[in-house]
Amino acid sequence: MNRLEIELRIEIGTALHTTGNQRRLGVDKAQALDVQDQPVLPATTLKGFLRARAEQILRSWGHQVCMGPGPDSMCGENAPCLVCRVFGNPRFRAPLRFRDAHPDSPGDSALAVRSGVAISRYRRAAYPQRLFFLETAGPYGTQWRALCEGYFSDRGAALEAAALVALAARWGYAIGGGRTRGLGWIEGVEVLAAVDGAPLEPSALARFWLAWERGSHVAEA
Ligand SMILES: [Zn+2]
C-alpha cells in the first residue's frame, strides 16, 4: 500500500460563504462553523468542487467520465471511470479522504454579515421586503488549508489521484454558496502532494496531464 497525502493551500480572493446548518439570530444564511465556532469550508463542498472541475476538464479532452451526483448516471464498482477512481461514487468507495478546510489564521477570517435585496429574475426589480442577511467569512487574501489522504494499492494509483486533484485545483475558481453574489472566489490553489512521505515533483503529475490531454488514460513511464 502507498500512502498519498495532499495539502491544498487555498487563496480566497473575496469573502467566502458556505451555508452551514446552524441557525443564528439575524442571519438568513449562516456560515458553516466547526466545533470551535471557527469558519470551515466543509470537505464535501471542497470535494464536490474539485470533482466537478475534473469532470469538465476530462470531458473537454474526450474522456468518458460520468457526471455526478445522481447514482444512476454514475459508473459501477467493477470498472470505475477515472473521476470515480479518485473521487468515488455511491457504489465505489475511493481511497482518498477529504477533510474540512480551515483558515490559516482564524483571526483573519472574522465573520461578517452582508445584507442584500432579493431581485426578481423576471421583473429585474427588488421584491418588497426581501432583504436578506448572509454571513460570510474572511476578508481579502485569506489563506485556507485542507488535507486529503488515502492508502492506494500501488504507487501508480496514488500518483494518478494526486495528478487529478492537482489538475482540478489549477482550474478552479468559485467555490461554496453565494457565488452568484461574487463571493467565494478562489485566487489560486497550491497543491503539495507526497507519496509515503516523499514530496512529488510537479513533473510527476504533469506526465498524467499530458497523457490525459491526448485522450489517453495511462501516463507513459
Ligand atoms: Zn464514473
Side-chain angles (χ1 to χ4, degrees), residues 57-65 82 211-217:
I57 298 157
L58 290 173
R59 281 181 164 244
S60 77
W61 287 344
H63 290 263
Q64 300 274 335
V65 294
L82 177 53
W212 293 336
E213 194 177 8
R214 290 194 303 266
S216 167
H217 272 262

Side-chain angles (χ1 to χ4, degrees), residues 68-147:
D72 294 340
S73 62
M74 302 181 93
C75 50
E77 63 205 271
N78 294 327
C81 69
L82 177 53
V83 171
C84 289
R85 278 207 295 279
V86 175
F87 293 97
N89 70 35
R91 284 188 285 268
F92 176 75
R93 192 182 146 94
L96 203 56
R97 292 274 160 272
F98 286 76
R99 303 228 200 106
D100 294 342
H102 295 270
D104 269 2
S105 40
D108 277 1
S109 62
L111 293 175
V113 176
R114 296 180 172 210
S115 60
V117 175
I119 304 288
S120 163
R121 259 172 216 270
Y122 301 104
R123 294 188 293 128
R124 293 190 177 278
Y127 287 116
Q129 298 172 337
R130 287 290 295 277
L131 185 70
F132 62 85
F133 294 96
L134 181 74
E135 194 173 46
T136 60
Y140 297 103
T142 307
Q143 287 275 355
W144 291 55
R145 203 176 291 246
L147 282 177

